[in-house]
């Protein structure tokens, strides 16, 4: 456990194992502890770095609205500050959007990426046939946002988990520490929703990333994730796809052994 100051904030991070560097970027509401089930497998052959994004859990909360640009700059600073460049970066959900933004802006810091189900609904808006899918997802987020605006963090976290992330009844099945983390980090999700660029990507700029890119999804996840990945796949010149069966939105939690089998060979190149 350690801290590093980058881009004006102190970030909590942990490094495990030895070997090629891989940085894991967690999604909304969560923190570095989300990777606990896959770290043992990663650490056997890599230097696996996890961290809490700004405002989350043990990292500094600057008490100002965060943005996806700051998250990408934080990730760049972490890679540079720890001497990991060029690193392999894996991003989950919103962490996938952060990873993709870094790939577009600072490809020199990377030697490959993997992303799982980025909620990049902004890329769907340009296509009239896909726009309703993105709109439907945004409408389901509205109820969560309304609760967050009212500072109803616990109710918002439960609604998000049950209606958007994992499915009905999932909240009650989460371990108490995980539920606590989601409630603690609820304001950071409101920051993401208030950021007009958070769920968008410049696909033309991303298309200049020429290193390996693994795009993964689960067959039982929401349709919106597959549509977003299809457009990212078309943009990236070296994209590879992988489909999990029955793993849901977080295969590193639901199927950690398969996740390690899929990700580690890509990290090792």
């Amino acid at each position: 456990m350690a801290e590093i100051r980058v881009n004006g904030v102190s970030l909590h991070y942990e490094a495990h194992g030895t070997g090629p560097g891989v940085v894991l970027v967690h999604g909304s509401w969560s923190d570095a502890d989300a990777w606990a089930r896959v770290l043992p497998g990663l650490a056997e052959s890599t230097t696996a770095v996890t961290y809490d994004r700004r405002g989350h859990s043990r990292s500094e909360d600057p008490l100002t609205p965060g943005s996806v640009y700051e998250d990408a700059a934080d990730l760049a600073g972490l890679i540079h500050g720890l001497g990991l460049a060029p690193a392999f970066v894996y991003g989950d959900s919103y962490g996938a959007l952060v990873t993709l933004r870094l790939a577009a802006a600072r490809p020199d810091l990377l030697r490959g990426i993997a992303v799982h189900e980025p909620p990049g609904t902004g890329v769907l808006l340009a296509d009239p046939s896909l726009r309703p899918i993105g709109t439907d997802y945004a409408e389901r987020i509205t109820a969560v946002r309304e609760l967050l605006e009212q500072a109803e963090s616990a109710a918002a976290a439960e609604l998000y988990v049950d209606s958007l992330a994992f499915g009905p009844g999932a909240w009650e099945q989460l371990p108490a520490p995980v539920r606590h983390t989601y409630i603690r980090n609820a304001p950071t999700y409101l920051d993401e929703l208030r950021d007009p660029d958070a769920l968008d990507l410049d696909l033309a700029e991303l298309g200049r990333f020429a290193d390996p890119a693994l795009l993964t999804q689960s067959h039982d996840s929401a349709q919106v994730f597959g549509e977003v990945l299809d457009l990212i796949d078309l943009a990236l010149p070296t994209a590879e796809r992988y489909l999990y069966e029955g793993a849901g939105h977080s295969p590193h939690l639901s199927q950690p052994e398969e996740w390690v089998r899929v990700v580690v060979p890509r990290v090792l190149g």
Side-chain angles (χ1 to χ4, degrees):
M1 298 174 62
E3 288 189 354
I4 183 172
R5 190 158 188 85
V6 301
N7 196 31
V9 297
S10 292
L11 301 180
H12 165 90
Y13 78 93
E14 300 177 21
H16 305 261
T18 58
V22 54
V23 180
L24 306 177
V25 190
H26 66 80
S28 302
W29 307 82
S30 189
D31 62 21
D33 293 342
W35 307 106
R37 301 191 71 187
V38 298
L39 276 177
L42 272 180
E44 289 179 3
S45 55
T46 75
T47 298
V49 174
T50 65
Y51 72 105
D52 296 344
R53 292 193 289 113
R54 64 166 56 210
H56 292 71
S57 298
R58 295 147 296 197
S59 285
E60 182 180 353
D61 185 351
L63 301 179
T64 55
S67 75
V68 70
Y69 300 105
E70 290 176 324
D71 274 315
D74 291 349
L75 177 57
L78 180 75
I79 293 171
H80 179 75
L82 295 180
L84 297 172
F88 190 99
V89 175
Y90 180 99
D92 171 62
S93 192
Y94 187 81
L97 291 176
V98 175
T99 301
L100 291 164
R101 280 192 175 272
L102 184 65
R106 293 294 309 274
D108 57 299
L109 294 177
L110 303 170
R111 57 185 176 81
I113 61 171
V115 296
H116 184 75
E117 297 187 346
T121 52
V123 302
L124 304 179
L125 301 181
D127 187 331
S129 66
L130 298 177
R131 193 176 302 140
I133 299 173
T135 301
D136 174 71
Y137 187 78
E139 289 175 350
R140 289 191 287 144
I141 291 176
T142 299
V144 177
R145 179 169 184 165
E146 289 174 352
L147 290 171
L148 290 173
E149 297 281 8
Q150 299 164 17
E152 297 286 348
S153 295
E158 181 174 358
L159 182 61
Y160 172 82
V161 168
D162 285 352
S163 67
L164 289 165
F166 302 116
W171 177 256
E172 291 300 326
Q173 297 177 28
L174 291 178
V178 176
R179 293 199 300 269
H180 175 77
T181 296
Y182 274 51
I183 294 169
R184 156 66 179 80
N185 291 330
T188 62
Y189 188 63
L190 184 57
D191 281 352
E192 292 169 11
L193 297 180
R194 289 173 172 170
D195 178 0
D197 296 326
L199 304 183
D200 201 6
L201 287 168
D202 185 333
L203 294 178
E205 187 179 41
L206 183 62
R208 292 193 286 270
F209 182 74
D211 287 302
L214 174 66
L215 314 178
T216 71
Q217 67 189 98
S218 297
H219 91 284
D220 54 343
S221 288
Q223 179 186 2
V224 64
F225 298 122
E227 300 292 354
V228 170
L229 282 175
D230 286 346
L231 294 178
I232 294 171
D233 191 355
L234 290 173
L236 287 168
T238 58
E240 175 190 6
R241 299 289 288 268
Y242 185 84
L243 181 68
Y244 291 95
E245 293 290 333
H249 193 48
S250 299
H252 57 286
L253 296 174
S254 61
Q255 298 183 11
E257 292 182 358
E258 182 179 4
W259 187 96
V260 169
R261 289 198 303 270
V262 170
V263 174
V264 167
R266 278 76 180 183
V267 174
L268 298 178

